């Protein structure tokens, strides 16, 4: 099975300082590998028109529903999530993380997750700019993210 993350409305390559946010330049976003904050899947610039990542995973039927596992899926059963890591990239290409968003897989409607396990693809669509104009962070659940089974739009 695959999880496809389709992102739009990125905050920009530079985000100015604001309350509780020091401001950053040369911002990028990427999917973080499980338990490895230094291993990132396909970093995308913060000023891209859109960004997308496709993650391979396995779906297993359990007594409580469908459980997803894979190299980019974090957390324990019933509390799974995918990290979108925000960071700056310096002149040598080094990514330094400053915040993360957690796409909460436990927030996917069980019927959508079952349909995705059957079709082979779970799709997340979300904007990556928060209400303050900064990179989206913290736990992300509907309605901020829309989950569906099957086709992609990007």
């Amino acid at each position: 099975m695959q999880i496809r993350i389709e992102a739009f409305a990125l905050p920009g390559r530079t985000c100015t300082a604001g309350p509780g946010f020091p401001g950053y330049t040369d911002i990028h976003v990427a999917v973080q590998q499980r338990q490895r904050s230094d291993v990132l899947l396909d970093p995308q610039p913060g000023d891209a028109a859109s960004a997308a990542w496709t993650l391979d995973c396995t779906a297993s039927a359990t007594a409580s529903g469908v459980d997803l596992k894979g190299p980019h899926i974090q957390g324990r059963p019933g509390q799974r999530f995918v990290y979108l890591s925000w960071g700056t990239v310096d002149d040598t290409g080094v990514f330094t993380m400053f915040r993360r968003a957690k796409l909460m897989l436990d927030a996917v409607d069980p019927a959508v997750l079952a349909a995705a396990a059957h079709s082979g693809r779970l799709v997340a669509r979300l904007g990556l700019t928060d209400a303050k104009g900064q990179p989206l962070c913290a736990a992300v659940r509907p309605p901020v993210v829309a989950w569906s089974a099957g086709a992609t739009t990007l």
Side-chain angles (χ1 to χ4, degrees):
M1 184 174 147
Q2 293 181 325
I3 299 173
R4 172 84 172 170
I5 301 168
E6 299 180 345
F8 55 91
L10 280 75
R13 182 94 48 127
T14 299
C15 290
T16 57
F21 186 77
Y24 296 94
T25 60
D26 209 8
I27 295 172
H28 287 67
V29 61
V31 174
Q32 178 185 313
Q33 186 172 315
R34 181 181 61 246
Q35 299 178 350
R36 295 284 312 269
S37 62
D38 62 327
V39 179
L40 302 168
L41 177 64
D42 200 16
Q44 298 293 309
D47 60 354
S50 62
W53 300 270
T54 301
L55 317 175
D56 290 322
C57 65
T58 58
S60 304
T62 68
S64 60
V66 177
D67 186 34
L68 301 177
K69 296 179 187 176
H72 297 95
I73 298 176
Q74 317 271 344
R76 299 177 184 187
Q79 300 172 348
R80 305 269 194 220
F81 61 92
V82 174
Y83 269 134
L84 291 178
S85 293
W86 291 98
T88 59
V89 176
D90 68 16
D91 293 339
T92 64
V94 174
F95 182 97
T96 303
M97 183 179 60
F98 63 82
R99 71 172 20 168
R100 296 186 286 201
K102 290 171 81 169
L103 299 183
M104 304 304 298
L105 296 171
D106 64 349
V108 178
D109 181 284
V112 170
L113 191 51
H118 179 73
S119 73
R121 181 166 280 193
L122 177 64
V123 180
R125 287 203 27 85
L126 73 159
L128 291 183
T129 302
D130 71 12
K132 297 176 185 176
Q134 300 166 352
L136 182 70
C137 67
V140 179
R141 295 180 168 87
V144 176
V145 60
W147 294 99
S148 62
T152 64
T153 57
L154 288 181

